[in-house]
Amino acid sequence: MTIHATDRIMTSDRSPEYAYRAGGGDRWRLTWLPQSLSRAQALAGMRLDELLSDPDVVHDAVTVDRIAEHAATVGIRYEQAVIVLWRRMENRSRRRPRAHDGPDAAEGVAGYGPAPRSLHLLG
């Protein structure tokens, strides 16, 4: 599990969710939460997402405590994070074409919407 962070974006090698700097100052957004966060909160949200994305550790008591701590730092209950992230995963899986859907199905992959402005700046 690795989180790659710059002064503009945080990504994970385990999850498609990411955090990006939103405007000036210390304002960040997670792709899976609507509210603005500090950099520390965004990093906690990324860690929370990574832990919830690893089925091998979610039943470990120490990991569950870490999940709850990261959720508290973000300002949500961990149960809320589980639901939101599961819904996003479910929506992504519905948009992906299956191999037997034919050549026109690939058009649906682009349905993720435009990247945040900050990603366009990374070029």
Side-chain angles (χ1 to χ4, degrees):
M1 295 188 318
T2 303
I3 296 172
H4 306 278
T6 69
D7 62 343
R8 292 190 176 132
I9 192 165
M10 297 178 204
T11 59
S12 165
D13 63 355
R14 183 166 298 275
S15 170
E17 304 294 347
Y18 57 93
Y20 60 95
R21 196 166 179 183
D26 187 34
R27 301 305 345 146
W28 287 76
R29 297 286 304 269
L30 290 165
T31 53
W32 54 277
L33 281 180
Q35 67 261 34
S36 182
L37 304 166
S38 69
R39 189 179 203 296
Q41 288 175 306
L43 185 57
M46 291 295 296
R47 290 179 176 149
L48 172 61
D49 179 27
E50 279 206 333
L51 289 171
L52 291 173
S53 297
D54 187 350
D56 293 332
V57 299
V58 295
H59 298 292
D60 175 67
V62 173
T63 301
V64 171
D65 288 343
R66 289 177 56 208
I67 288 169
E69 288 172 18
H70 292 315
T73 299
V74 173
I76 61 173
R77 296 176 49 94
Y78 80 85
E79 295 92 346
Q80 289 173 292
V82 169
I83 292 167
V84 170
L85 290 166
W86 179 83
R87 284 181 179 160
R88 288 183 60 86
M89 181 188 70
E90 182 69 18
N91 287 337
R92 276 192 302 274
S93 69
R94 287 182 188 170
R95 288 193 297 239
R96 287 198 183 120
R98 293 179 301 271
H100 63 277
D101 285 342
D104 294 337
E107 293 174 11
V109 174
Y112 288 101
R117 187 176 183 287
S118 60
L119 288 182
H120 295 291
L121 297 175
L122 296 176

